[in-house]
Amino acid sequence: MKAISDFLKKTLFKGRQGLSGIPGDSAPVNMTRLLLNPGKILIIPYKRMGTVLLATRVFKSLREHFSEAEIHVGVHEAWSVLIQRDPTIDQVITFGDYIESPGSKEFRDFGKSLKENGYDLAFFLSYQFDREIAALIRLSDAKLRIAFNENEAMDFFNLGIVPAPGDRYEVERYLELLRTLGIEGSVRDYTMTVTDTIREKARLRYLPSGSVASPGRIVGFDLTREIVGAPITKKNAETTIKTLITQLRSTVVVFYEPNKKNMAAELKEQFGKDIILVEDRPVSTLAGMLSLCRFVIAYNSDLLQLINALKTPVLGVLTQQERIRWTMDSFENFIHLDRQENSWPSPSSLITASKELIKKTKSDS
């Protein structure tokens, strides 16, 4: 009876999520053969920018192990520029916002196009389970579909890797998954460069001639959307921005996502010309403005990964667990300012850490 009950609950759940048309159990596969000599491989990280950047750090390991395979990576179109020129992959496949609507025609059509590619292997390269990405990989009908074995993941994958217990850097988790399959590798450095053209285009758009912002006085502040952890409140943002303006005499560039637009607008009304609002896409403009910042205060993994790739100094306002998951000791020009789950650093601690970062990066330059 329990098996029947669980089946009915799962069926009803899939119907509510628009997943009722997702194929069921897979046919048995020769896992050894597929891992030895795959023709085509599909990799889809979690759909956020930060996870795409984290995933790039193990692409080289996959390329070196599967030297003859054709490797495709699927990402949201907004983040495709981050990996378009990656020499370790063969093709970037992009999807749009319909990724949030697995019941939509666009979602199903994209899944059908993936299936037509005839993938032998598919990796969901993220420790954080996402039902929509899982459904997409299932629609690809890749012969061997691999993910971390978590929650309802095995409704979509036919090989689940049980993660080792304990907290550690997210990329190390990916390497553990690969090593379980006999794929050796290490963390690859990921560095992005911003051309003078992109930087100047961003400067002219947001810092036109006659702007009150002076070189060296531009500081970035992360107002993008949280995926895990406690969200930042408007009060937290106000405290940070006010501290940077009054104590460091800075112009603050507030980086935000569309769903934080209202909060960003309220902050603009409050602080006026002392802050500049910059949306997180297109990535080229975002990167251009990040490169103009003396440093950036970030509390969200997404922006933190891009800042690190650009080698822009960053003050990470993270819990201890977040620091372990999203950063590593080799991060350059990085200072960690601890926060608790339900509290934000005081103005004095923000200034002390900011001055320490400025001093550190001056001595390193």
Side-chain angles (χ1 to χ4, degrees):
M1 287 298 293
K2 184 178 185 303
I4 296 174
S5 175
D6 289 345
F7 173 78
L8 291 174
K9 287 180 181 178
K10 188 179 295 185
T11 301
L12 290 171
F13 176 78
K14 285 187 174 182
R16 288 195 297 269
Q17 297 296 317
L19 302 176
S20 55
I22 300 299
D25 293 340
S26 306
V29 297
N30 186 331
M31 186 176 78
T32 301
R33 184 186 66 79
L34 291 171
L35 287 171
L36 282 175
N37 189 30
K40 284 188 177 180
I41 299 173
L42 173 65
I43 305 168
I44 305 185
Y46 187 71
K47 58 201 171 196
R48 299 286 301 180
M49 175 178 65
T51 313
V52 172
L53 288 168
L54 287 167
T56 63
R57 309 196 76 175
V58 300
F59 286 173
K60 185 179 179 183
S61 297
L62 286 162
R63 166 51 66 207
E64 289 177 346
H65 188 84
F66 299 114
S67 58
E68 301 300 320
E70 188 175 327
I71 300 178
H72 297 182
V73 179
V75 297
H76 192 286
E77 57 192 1
W79 319 129
S80 61
V81 67
L82 298 171
I83 59 172
Q84 278 177 344
R85 297 184 181 181
D86 192 315
T88 64
I89 61 178
D90 297 293
Q91 186 175 338
V92 178
I93 302 174
T94 62
F95 48 78
D97 289 336
Y98 54 79
I99 188 65
E100 303 289 352
S101 306
S104 68
K105 181 179 183 299
E106 292 86 354
F107 188 101
R108 299 309 174 99
D109 286 346
F110 184 68
K112 183 179 179 180
S113 70
L114 291 177
K115 183 177 180 179
E116 291 170 352
N117 285 327
Y119 294 111
D120 294 303
L121 295 181
F123 292 91
F124 178 29
L125 209 54
S126 173
Y127 186 67
Q128 183 178 344
F129 181 73
D130 180 83
R131 196 172 294 105
E132 287 77 25
I133 296 293
L136 206 56
I137 291 178
R138 183 64 188 92
L139 285 174
S140 79
D141 209 26
K143 294 183 180 69
L144 185 60
R145 302 178 305 279
I146 303 165
F148 285 107
N149 189 1
E150 184 176 328
N151 299 326
E152 71 268 32
M154 299 318 294
D155 290 344
F156 306 92
F157 300 93
N158 51 7
L159 179 58
I161 305 299
V162 178
D167 294 320
R168 57 203 162 283
Y169 183 42
E170 202 77 349
V171 182
E172 290 293 342
R173 291 186 188 275
Y174 305 162
L175 290 175
E176 288 171 7
L177 182 148
L178 298 181
R179 288 166 185 159
T180 303
L181 302 171
I183 303 169
E184 293 300 323
S186 58
V187 178
R188 178 185 71 164
D189 183 39
Y190 183 87
T191 301
M192 286 185 65
T193 57
V194 177
T195 65
D196 291 340
T197 301
I198 290 175
R199 186 180 292 106
E200 184 64 9
K201 185 177 180 181
R203 188 191 68 77
L204 290 174
R205 178 175 177 182
Y206 291 102
L207 301 167
S209 178
S211 169
V212 295
S214 59
R217 293 289 182 184
I218 302 172
V219 176
F221 176 64
D222 175 9
L223 195 67
T224 52
R225 181 165 64 97
E226 309 80 0
I227 298 302
V228 294
I232 189 171
T233 66
K234 185 183 175 187
K235 183 178 180 181
N236 297 152
E238 289 172 342
T239 297
T240 305
I241 293 171
K242 184 178 180 181
T243 300
L244 293 171
I245 292 172
T246 58
Q247 299 296 312
L248 294 182
R249 302 193 305 279
S250 299
T251 295
V252 181
V253 179
V254 178
F255 299 99
Y256 71 98
E257 284 190 87
N259 62 5
K260 289 283 187 74
K261 189 173 183 177
N262 290 339
M263 186 187 295
E266 291 172 1
L267 291 169
K268 181 64 176 177
E269 184 175 350
Q270 180 176 349
F271 293 104
K273 65 182 181 181
D274 289 323
I275 71 171
I276 299 168
L277 303 183
V278 176
E279 193 171 331
D280 70 340
R281 56 192 75 176
V283 172
S284 58
T285 302
L286 172 64
M289 285 304 292
L290 284 169
S291 71
L292 293 171
C293 293
R294 184 68 186 82
F295 67 92
V296 183
I297 294 180
Y299 72 100
N300 183 13
S301 169
D302 271 344
L303 204 61
L304 181 64
Q305 303 309 323
L306 181 58
I307 296 166
N308 177 58
L310 292 167
K311 307 305 180 189
T312 298
V314 57
L315 174 58
V317 183
L318 308 168
T319 65
Q320 285 293 338
Q321 184 181 40
E322 288 168 345
R323 182 186 182 185
I324 293 170
R325 287 187 64 183
W326 306 124
T327 70
M328 56 191 302
D329 292 339
S330 61
F331 268 26
E332 295 181 29
N333 300 331
F334 170 80
I335 285 182
H336 171 236
L337 182 60
D338 189 43
R339 70 175 173 87
Q340 305 302 313
E341 284 293 347
N342 298 310
S343 65
W344 191 254
S346 66
S348 61
S349 61
L350 283 167
I351 287 300
T352 299
S354 296
K355 288 181 176 179
E356 182 184 350
L357 182 59
I358 291 172
K359 182 180 179 180
K360 178 180 185 295
T361 51
K362 276 184 178 179
S363 62
D364 289 345
S365 59

